[in-house]
Amino acid sequence: QVQLVESGGGLVQAGGSLRLSCAASGSIFSITAMGWFRQAPGKQRELVARISSGGSTNYADSVKGRFTISRDNAKNTIYLQMNSLKVEDTAVYYCAAVIQNSDYEDNDYWGQGTQVTVSS
C-alpha cells in the first residue's frame, strides 16, 4: 500500500509564495509520475503540474512562469514552489501519483489535500 502526505499549505497574501511538499511511502517499486492537482469551490479538479520518472514536467497555462515542480528521488518527495500567488490560485491542492509495485502493477494514489488560500 502507498500513502501520500502533503504539507505546506496555508494563508498567504497575493504576490507571496508557498512551497508544498508531498512524500510517498509504502510499497513502491517505481514511480511513473507525480503531480499536483487543485480544486477550487464550484470548479472541477484541474492538473497544475506534473513530473515524470524521467524528469519531464508539464504545467497548466495559468501557472507557467510562477510555479515550479521538483523532486527528491531519494525521499520519494515532490515539491511545488508557488511564487507570485494570485487570489485565483486559492484551492485545495492534491498530490497524485502513479506508482508501480513489485508485480509491475500501476496504481493511482491521492493525498488528502492541503488548503492554499491567497488573500487580496
Side-chain angles (χ1 to χ4, degrees), residues 52-72:
S52 72
S53 60
S56 62
T57 58
N58 297 96
Y59 297 92
D61 288 342
S62 60
V63 307
K64 286 180 179 177
R66 299 187 298 119
F67 291 10
T68 303
I69 188 169
S70 61
R71 68 183 182 187
D72 184 337

